[in-house]
Amino acid sequence: MPELPEVEITRRGILSRIKGRTSTGALVREARFRKPAPKNLSNLIQGQELLDIERRGKYLIWRFEHGSIVSHLGMSGVMRVVNPLETPPVKHDHIDLNFGDLTVRYHDPRRFGFLVWLDESENPYEMAEIRKLGPEPFSDDFNAKDLFASLSKVSVPIKEALLSGKHVVGVGNIYCSESLFKAGINPFVPANLLSKKRLEKLVNAVREVLEISLQEGGSTLRDFVSAEGEKGYFTLSACVYGREGEPCVKCGRPIKRAVQAGRATYYCSLCQRMTRGAAQK
Ligand SMILES: [Zn+2]
């Protein structure tokens, strides 16, 4: 599933090639997504310059002169910049956004993503899905003080609280396990028992893990724009995720795996002890 780093790299990749270009139309081969795509998309965007693309959580907001596209990659979506003459569409290539000799191609086998148009009277940030999002991980709104306050009445395990997206957006399952490991926090500890000091470690760890992934993703930017068809998402060089039984990179003990709220959780029982005061180094 595309996570925040993939979405951010997608944004940067498209912007680097398409920003300032005027749309020459669109082709909607399939309109049935989580939200239906407009069948007249071509008329809606044709002749309009793409001014910018913003990201909020995993949503992309494409600013045109007179309105915007809001898109989400869902479970299996990929967007690539292609030269349509050299790259014929393949199965599940559902939408093309054309900008002269370059096309942004939206591929989504499972169609849980979407791409909709909002006219200029509608503010994309007021969309129900976007309005309810928690703070951006790289913004000042994500900090130990506010996190401490927002978790003060949350007694579910910290991992579930992070995954809920209410306290920070974009920390998917893998990033969550990795961040908790970096911060030395046990994934099962009730969120409201964490001190401000430990939450500060967590805030820093979340940013670090996402930043590393962005850097690794950035190095694949060349592949991203060269459009080699269906490609996997980034594989983070994980410390704990997917490493059950392998030695912890800090202490050498075998990494444990548990299932938490239906999701796999990986952790080190020594470096991420349950006892209060653990990892307060
Ligand atoms: Zn360890």
Side-chain angles (χ1 to χ4, degrees):
M1 180 157 71
E3 297 288 352
L4 188 141
E6 281 97 351
V7 177
E8 176 61 17
I9 293 295
T10 298
R11 185 186 78 85
R12 294 180 191 176
I14 296 171
L15 270 182
S16 72
R17 305 291 294 276
I18 307 289
K19 187 176 181 175
R21 284 188 175 227
T22 297
S23 171
T24 46
L27 180 59
V28 178
R29 298 184 191 87
E30 171 63 78
R32 292 168 301 168
F33 294 95
R34 193 168 99 211
K35 290 167 180 285
K39 288 188 172 146
N40 62 339
L41 186 63
S42 193
N43 292 333
L44 291 168
I45 66 170
Q46 193 160 20
Q48 290 200 54
E49 184 184 336
L50 177 67
L51 304 172
D52 204 359
I53 304 178
E54 296 153 19
R55 183 189 56 74
R56 179 73 176 95
K58 295 202 277 181
Y59 296 87
L60 290 183
I61 297 162
W62 309 52
R63 298 289 193 179
F64 288 87
E65 292 166 83
H66 304 289
S68 45
I69 282 175
V70 178
S71 65
H72 193 284
L73 294 173
M75 303 286 285
S76 57
V78 176
M79 278 183 180
R80 297 271 181 255
V81 178
V82 301
N83 178 332
L85 295 178
E86 292 168 3
T87 315
V90 296
K91 198 177 177 191
H92 307 303
D93 280 350
H94 299 309
I95 298 180
D96 281 359
L97 304 172
N98 300 320
F99 297 87
D101 60 349
L102 291 178
T103 286
V104 179
R105 186 162 282 164
Y106 173 38
H107 175 96
D108 191 351
R110 298 181 66 184
R111 290 192 272 117
F112 284 113
F114 68 81
L115 190 155
V116 295
W117 173 260
L118 302 183
D119 68 38
E120 51 196 326
S121 67
E122 297 170 281
N123 178 355
Y125 289 93
E126 291 297 317
M127 264 178 81
E129 294 90 338
I130 293 182
R131 211 171 46 187
K132 70 173 187 201
L133 293 175
E136 283 292 321
F138 291 108
S139 76
D140 294 341
D141 295 341
F142 182 52
N143 60 69
K145 185 169 161 275
D146 290 341
L147 187 59
F148 184 75
S150 80
L151 292 176
S152 65
K153 292 193 176 71
V154 178
S155 56
V156 301
I158 182 63
K159 176 149 183 269
E160 289 173 43
L162 278 183
L163 281 180
S164 74
K166 291 177 192 159
H167 312 285
V168 60
V169 294
V171 187
N173 200 34
I174 299 174
Y175 301 107
C176 206
S177 282
E178 293 299 310
S179 302
L180 289 168
F181 174 75
K182 253 190 204 320
I185 294 172
N186 187 285
F188 293 93
V189 71
N192 58 357
L193 292 187
L194 290 167
S195 66
K196 228 175 267 181
K197 192 176 161 194
R198 296 185 72 191
L199 290 177
E200 195 164 345
K201 280 179 189 275
L202 181 58
V203 166
N204 292 334
V206 162
R207 290 197 177 128
E208 222 176 288
V209 165
L210 290 174
E211 187 55 48
I212 290 168
S213 183
L214 276 173
Q215 283 170 12
E216 291 179 358
S219 64
T220 67
L221 203 59
R222 196 179 299 258
D223 296 335
F224 166 83
V225 289
S226 75
E228 293 162 35
E230 198 166 351
K231 267 190 127 55
Y233 301 112
F234 311 157
T235 40
L236 183 78
S237 19
C239 291
V240 288
Y241 194 86
R243 296 193 63 237
E244 183 185 14
E246 291 175 38
C248 169
V249 295
K250 286 187 195 164
C251 74
R253 286 208 183 182
I255 296 297
K256 292 199 163 171
R257 178 184 188 274
V259 175
Q260 202 174 4
R263 311 291 300 274
T265 291
Y266 296 86
Y267 64 104
C268 171
S269 56
L270 182 65
C271 297
Q272 296 168 269
R273 270 184 299 236
M274 267 305 260
T275 46
R276 296 188 79 178
Q280 280 190 341
K281 308 183 263 277

